[in-house]
Amino acid sequence: MPSNVLPQPDGPDTRRIKRSRVLSFALLAVAAVVFSLRPEVFGDPQAQPWHALLHVWRIVLGVALMVAALGVQVAVGVRWRRGLRRSAEQEPSTRGTPPGNQAAGDR
């Protein structure tokens, strides 16, 4: 029965994972700043016709930054798992073959 425990990442993978976490944190921090912007910061809301658009665009931009942070994490995870699968395919292992696929003399 195969194990569900994943091995620890090696050197380049560890650096890539750390960098992706820093990038995701930075994207989330920028999203928090964008969400905290208030249209009043840019002047009198009654005198500016684009006041309502600023409300909509800061929400859209904040959500886009949050989705980008999630996308970075997913992309790095998929790349790491693909590398694990590739390395598992390269090393031939007969340990996991079921007995029905072996020759009759080997059983």
Side-chain angles (χ1 to χ4, degrees):
M1 175 175 249
S3 173
N4 288 335
V5 177
L6 294 175
Q8 291 294 320
D10 57 350
D13 289 334
T14 302
R15 285 190 299 276
R16 185 180 307 113
I17 290 169
K18 284 182 183 179
R19 288 179 188 152
S20 72
R21 287 180 182 164
V22 169
L23 178 61
S24 293
F25 180 78
L27 286 171
L28 289 176
V30 171
V33 169
V34 168
F35 277 132
S36 68
L37 288 178
R38 297 288 179 238
E40 294 83 22
V41 172
F42 301 105
D44 182 24
Q46 302 301 327
Q48 298 173 356
W50 49 272
H51 174 75
L53 287 178
L54 188 57
H55 273 296
V56 173
W57 282 109
R58 71 183 176 94
I59 293 170
V60 169
L61 182 61
V63 169
L65 288 168
M66 290 172 48
V67 169
L70 179 64
V72 166
Q73 291 297 305
V74 169
V76 168
V78 166
R79 185 173 175 181
W80 179 57
R81 294 290 297 256
R82 192 176 298 147
L84 287 177
R85 286 191 187 113
R86 224 178 275 131
S87 67
E89 289 172 358
Q90 287 177 355
E91 58 184 44
S93 173
T94 58
R95 182 179 50 166
T97 58
N101 292 339
Q102 296 175 358
D106 294 342
R107 288 187 223 156

